[in-house]
Each structure stands twice: as C-alpha cells, then as structure tokens.
Amino acid sequence: MDQFTLNLLFVGASFALYIGIAIWARAGSTSEFYAAGRGVHPVTNGMATAADWMSAASFISMAGLIAFTGYDNSTFLMGWTGGYVLLALLLAPYLRKFGKFTVSEFIGDRFYSKTARMVAVVCLIVASTTYVIGQMTGVGVAFGRFLEISNTSGLLIGACVVFAYAVFGGMKGVTYTQVAQYVVLIMAYTIPAIFISLQLTGNPVPALGLFGDHVASGEPLLAKLDQIVRELGFNEYTTHHSDTLNMVLFTLSLMIGTAGLPHVIMRFFTVPRVADARWSAGWALVFIALLYLTAPAVGAMARLNITELMWPNGTDAQAVSVEDIANNPKYDWMQTWQKTGLLDWEDKNGDGRIQYYNDANAAMQEKAAANGWTGNELTKFNRDILVLANPEIANLPGWVIGLVAAGGLAAALSTAAGLLLAISSAVSHDLIKGQLNPNISEKNELMAARVAMGVAIVVATYLGLNPPGFAAQTVALAFGLAAASIFPALMMGIFSTKINNHGAVAGMLAGLLVTLVYIFLHKGWFFIPDTNSFTDADPLLGTIKSTSFGAIGAMINFTVAYVVASMTKETPQEIKDLVESVRVPKGAGAATDH
C-alpha cells in the first residue's frame, strides 16, 4: 500500500471517529452547548483540556522552533507549562465556584458593568482569532503534505471538519471529541519519538535518551549535536545566546497568557464541583507533560538527523550530492516536502552538492570562500514541517507517517474547535443575550451561536492563508494579547475588592490597545504583509520583541486599573461580599481564640 493511501486511511478513520462522537454527543440545550451540562468527569475534562491546549503550536511547530534554535526556545516549554500551574492555583477553582458560562460573563458580573462585559468580549475575540490563525496554518501545512493538495484546499477541508463537529456538538460534543483527539495526537507524537530515540541512543524513553549517549559515536548526544552545529557556524544547541530580558518577558507573557485564555478557562465550567476544577487542571498537566517532556528530544534528535543527512560523512567531508537527493530513498522526504513549497534547496555554485551551513557567520564565510561555496544551499526549511517530516527523515514505517498525519490534524483541529466555541459563546451569550436581546429564546441563542461560529470559521480560514509567523510564533502573539487584557481583569476580579468597573474597563482597554499596536508595528497592521515599521530583529523598545510584549501590556493593565479605581467611586458592598464568597471555601467558619 502506498503512502498516500495509508495517509488517507489514518486521517479518514480519525475524522469519522470525531464526527461520529460529535453527532452522538450533540448539544440539545444551552447548558450542554456552553458547559457540557456541567457533568464532565475531571479525568475526562483533563484529557479534553490537554487536547484543547496542545494545538498546532505544540504538536507541529514547537519542536521545530526548538530544533533550529535550541536552549533559547525552551521558553515555550517553561511558559506554557508554568502557566497551567497558575491557572490551576489562581483561577480555575474560583471561576468554577462563580458558576457562569463564560469569562466575559464573570467579568461583567464581577465589575457590575455591561461595558466591562463587552470589552471582555472584544478582548476574547481578538486573542482567540489571533490564536486560530496559528491553528489554520497548521491545518494547511498538514493537509498540504499528507493529502498532497494545496495549502488553500487543506484549509477549506479543515474548516469544514471543524464546522461539522464544533457547530453541531457545542461544548458537549467538543469535549468528547477532544478526548479522542488527545489519544490520537499523543500516540502520533510519542511513537515516532520512541523509534527515533531507540535508533540514536538505544533508549525507548525520548526524554531520557536526550541525555544519553549517541549509539554510533558513543559520546553524549547533546555534546555531539553541539559539536556539529558549531562546526557549521550555528550557535551551540545547549547554550543561552538570546537577550535575557526578552527571554524573561516572553516566558512571563506565555505563563500569564495561558492563565487568561478564554477557550481553556471555559473547560473548567464543565465539571460538577469546584474541587473537580482543580483536579481537571492537575490531570491536564499530567497529559500535557507526556508531550512536553518529549518535545525537546524530538527537536534535538531531528536536528541531528537532518544535519547528518546533509553531511553524511561528517562536516569536514563532502556535503550530500544533488544526485543522492534525487535518487537515494533516504532523501525521498526532501522531494516530497519540496512540492509543498515549505522546503527547498539550490546548488548555487554548481558543484553538484548542497552545502548546509550558517553563511552569516564570519568564520564560515572564510571557510566557504576557501572551498568555493557561495552561500547556504538549503535555502528553505519551514520550522512547522519538522515534526510532520520527522518519521520520513528517520525512515520510519509508512503507518507511523500516517499516524503522524492524523495526530497533526487532531492537534490543530481540536484547539480550533475550542477557540471557535469561545468566540461563538462570546457573540451569542455575552453580546446578543447579555446586551442586545436579553429575552432571546434558548433555541434562537443556540442558532446565533452556530451562525457566529460559522462566520468565525470563515474569517479564521481567510487569515490562516497569510499568517504573521510560524504556528507557535502566531500563537505566542495570542498569548500576549490574553496576558495583557484578560488575565489582569480576572486576577483583580478575584483577589481585589478595590478594583471597580471604571478601573477594570480602563485597564483592559489600555492593555489590549497598547499590546495590539506594538504587535501591529512589528507584524504589520492587521497582519497585512509589508505594513510593519519594525521587526523582531530590530524592535521598537530595546530588545523586547512583539511576542514578549504581553507581559508589559499586563503591567500597564494593572497600573491603569488601580489608578482609575482610586480616582473613581468605590466598589459597592454587595460586590465586595460577592468577591469574598467566591474566595472563601464553603463552610469555613470564623477563627476562635482557643
């Protein structure tokens, strides 16, 4: 059976499973649509949350960014996992105790303001839409390779699948679909990693193999990788090279952005009790850790494999020949991915070989001149293809490649569904029912939610055609927006009675607008190419990149909120009592003197 047929079988079977579950678990009420009837078991919810969380950024893009940068991009791991600890400790149980369907509804009630609720809706839609762009980028990459179709066609097919199970199933359908997707994506991620770890280190646990010895050379795998990339003029893999301030701000932005993402927080409204919200977050961390502990090994081992394929006899010998790439089965993956437009090479000096090295390094420029090289000839290697191409690079069996195809699509589609549900809930429940038409019937509210989701899918698909970066980089922008706008409002709403409605609205608007403008100045206005004034290589404020600015935006949000609140009318007593009731454990009594 050829590879294309295998891919179709794995992807088709997984899609049939998802759609079947969506139909079986179809929402029949607003409670089931928004919160799955609040009857989801913590383990089930933890698994669904993990699938919702581990998007195309985690599955498809993150290991690629780590592979080609090394230690400096470990910030993705630290920020995203650390953020879940914040979420479990500071937000999830209190929001569940409050008992509303959406984040915007909590903000509207806590700050006793329809304006606050509407501003929260705007913040949610901006952050979620930016996030969906990254997911659609992943969908296009995955379909483009494994179904051998164009990126545009892949996006359209993916949009139809998301529409089918998200629109008809609501939160109830999405929850059980995401459980299935988690199983698919974690198998698809870990099985190839186990194979490759065995090949390179003899250890079946990739996270341990990363720190083991390379089978062929007998030296530590990371030491060998450091040596090879250094010889090719790249930065050492395990050493810190980037700006420390930007690195800290980026990690912080990812952490508090995690704790402020609406589509993740919504998952904690689906469990029966407040304690279950904490357990759900704990289980989600366990399920997420299975992938996140594996990702550094995937990145390092793939980088080593790629480098050794480009220099099969060592960096002091000859580079791979054009003839080998064309005729040797070991290089078939290059021919396959070249068709997608995401990988390319060029024999610039006409010597019949493809030299891969860092042509910006001064020492390598001298070596290149001595050897007659005229520049790096691996001219394009999109970071988003690495995990999907990994089984082919390592020459693994065809069924593993098909499984990775299904896993990559599961990761992208599961998060896209959760985000689109968050957007549709904000429009139908918070905007229409909460502001425009409070007396709308349940049936019409569900219809409005589904129409809003359909519109959101169309917009997200269109934006996915021209993303502002690799999938994980685009998602990092969404985290920055959530960090700057939603997270501070939730924290102040739960832990401070001093912040009133005026302070919350002013803080959210200040954080969102300043961060959005900073991002647009670096990524282009509304992400339109070539409309930017700065780049992340030469940012506006010192060394602070657009992906790191969310932490600054959050500080601005907190500051503005406290200043405005101190200058305006005090929070009403009933709201102060509400905040206290949310924070105090049920049944707690007064302290006694003995």
Side-chain angles (χ1 to χ4, degrees):
M1 187 179 296
D2 63 16
Q3 189 59 55
F4 180 74
T5 306
L6 271 174
N7 293 341
L8 281 178
L9 282 175
F10 274 90
V11 173
S14 62
F15 280 5
L17 175 64
Y18 306 152
I19 293 171
I21 291 173
I23 293 171
W24 166 74
R26 182 177 179 180
S29 67
T30 51
S31 177
E32 289 185 341
F33 190 88
Y34 295 129
R38 301 198 196 280
V40 181
H41 190 277
V43 177
T44 303
N45 194 49
M47 195 175 291
T49 304
D52 204 356
W53 169 245
M54 291 190 295
S55 62
S58 293
F59 187 99
I60 293 175
S61 189
M62 181 175 63
L65 291 173
I66 294 172
F68 285 91
T69 300
Y71 173 84
D72 288 334
N73 271 347
S74 63
T75 47
F76 285 99
L77 298 168
M78 294 185 290
W80 282 339
T81 50
Y84 246 98
V85 177
L86 283 180
L87 183 61
L89 294 177
L90 299 181
L91 295 180
Y94 303 112
L95 291 172
R96 175 62 189 89
K97 187 173 182 182
F98 194 80
K100 296 297 183 179
F101 282 137
T102 66
V103 170
S104 307
E105 196 170 12
F106 167 79
I107 290 175
D109 286 4
R110 159 60 184 88
F111 296 110
Y112 52 98
S113 167
K114 288 187 176 181
T115 302
R117 185 171 179 175
M118 289 307 99
V119 172
V121 168
V122 171
C123 295
L124 182 153
I125 290 174
V126 170
S128 297
T129 302
T130 305
Y131 203 145
V132 175
I133 299 172
Q135 306 318 303
M136 290 305 181
T137 302
V139 169
V141 170
F143 269 113
R145 160 61 187 92
F146 292 111
L147 297 184
E148 298 178 14
I149 55 177
S150 69
N151 182 62
T152 301
S153 299
L155 281 175
L156 293 175
I157 292 174
C160 291
V161 174
V162 171
F163 184 86
Y165 71 76
V167 168
F168 292 111
M171 182 59 86
K172 185 179 179 183
V174 165
T175 294
Y176 293 105
T177 301
Q178 286 175 335
V179 171
Q181 286 170 327
Y182 175 79
V183 174
V184 172
L185 75 86
I186 200 65
M187 288 175 61
Y189 202 87
T190 55
I191 288 175
I194 290 169
F195 271 107
I196 295 168
S197 182
L198 282 169
Q199 284 181 353
L200 293 179
T201 69
N203 194 319
V205 181
L208 299 179
L210 177 64
F211 299 98
D213 292 339
H214 186 243
V215 170
S217 65
E219 60 184 307
L221 182 132
L222 286 174
K224 180 174 178 61
L225 180 56
D226 270 345
Q227 177 192 344
I228 288 178
V229 296
R230 186 173 59 247
E231 288 172 353
L232 295 176
F234 297 103
N235 289 330
E236 282 192 350
Y237 195 83
T238 59
T239 307
H240 174 46
H241 302 282
S242 66
D243 177 75
T244 302
L245 172 63
N246 183 74
M247 191 175 187
V248 170
L249 288 175
F250 181 63
T251 305
L252 181 60
S253 182
L254 293 183
M255 285 180 68
I256 62 178
T258 298
L261 278 173
H263 78 289
V264 176
I265 293 172
M266 282 178 68
R267 294 239 49 92
F268 299 105
F269 299 145
T270 66
V271 292
R273 298 173 301 158
V274 174
D276 294 334
R278 287 192 192 275
W279 279 108
S280 291
W283 279 109
L285 269 172
V286 171
F287 293 127
I288 290 167
L290 293 177
L291 186 145
Y292 273 48
L293 289 172
T294 306
V298 170
M301 292 176 186
R303 179 72 181 276
L304 182 60
N305 274 336
I306 292 165
T307 307
E308 290 187 328
L309 280 171
M310 300 308 296
W311 297 91
N313 299 307
T315 55
D316 291 329
Q318 294 285 347
V320 64
S321 68
V322 175
E323 184 181 355
D324 259 352
I325 292 175
N327 300 313
N328 190 331
K330 286 172 59 178
Y331 296 89
D332 283 351
W333 66 276
M334 293 183 67
Q335 304 278 0
T336 303
W337 280 98
Q338 187 184 41
K339 296 173 185 175
T340 67
L342 301 173
L343 177 71
D344 209 358
W345 58 92
E346 178 189 355
D347 183 11
K348 295 177 180 178
N349 61 352
D351 67 350
R353 298 187 177 276
I354 302 299
Q355 284 89 22
Y356 164 58
Y357 65 100
N358 182 11
D359 53 12
N361 182 297
M364 288 305 295
Q365 288 172 354
E366 293 180 12
K367 182 177 179 180
N371 288 310
W373 304 343
T374 54
N376 174 37
E377 296 179 338
L378 186 61
T379 54
K380 187 172 188 179
F381 198 115
N382 188 294
R383 308 301 189 248
D384 290 345
I385 75 172
L386 185 129
V387 169
L388 299 177
N390 215 14
E392 299 170 90
I393 295 170
N395 199 29
L396 298 184
W399 67 267
V400 178
I401 298 170
L403 180 62
V404 171
L409 292 170
L413 295 174
S414 62
T415 304
L419 289 163
L420 292 167
L421 185 61
I423 293 170
S424 71
S425 299
V427 172
S428 63
H429 193 67
D430 295 308
L431 180 60
I432 297 176
K433 185 177 178 66
Q435 186 80 14
L436 303 177
N437 185 8
N439 298 318
I440 189 172
S441 68
E442 187 172 282
K443 180 179 178 181
N444 288 338
E445 186 183 349
L446 278 176
M447 179 56 67
R450 285 166 174 152
V451 170
M453 190 178 290
V455 172
I457 288 172
V458 172
V459 172
T461 303
Y462 173 75
L463 292 172
L465 294 171
N466 292 292
F470 300 122
Q473 293 171 329
T474 305
V475 167
L477 296 175
F479 277 74
L481 291 167
S485 58
I486 298 170
F487 174 77
L490 294 175
M491 285 294 293
M492 291 184 290
I494 293 170
F495 294 102
S496 175
T497 57
K498 293 181 180 180
I499 304 301
N500 59 16
N501 53 349
H502 299 295
V505 169
M508 283 190 289
L509 287 174
L512 176 68
L513 292 175
V514 171
T515 305
L516 203 55
V517 168
Y518 197 84
I519 288 172
F520 285 161
L521 284 172
H522 292 77
K523 297 296 185 182
W525 292 91
F526 303 100
F527 300 130
I528 298 171
D530 302 321
T531 60
N532 58 302
S533 303
F534 304 91
T535 67
D536 281 333
D538 185 22
L540 170 62
L541 295 178
T543 57
I544 302 172
K545 298 181 180 180
S546 59
T547 48
S548 307
F549 193 79
I552 303 294
M555 296 175 199
I556 292 171
N557 188 330
F558 279 116
T559 303
V560 169
Y562 272 98
V563 170
V564 172
S566 68
M567 298 168 61
T568 51
K569 191 175 179 180
E570 189 178 354
T571 305
Q573 187 59 46
E574 63 268 22
I575 299 298
K576 292 182 179 180
D577 294 339
L578 174 66
V579 173
E580 291 297 331
S581 71
V582 168
R583 288 213 310 267
V584 176
K586 184 178 179 180
T592 60
D593 198 20
H594 57 274

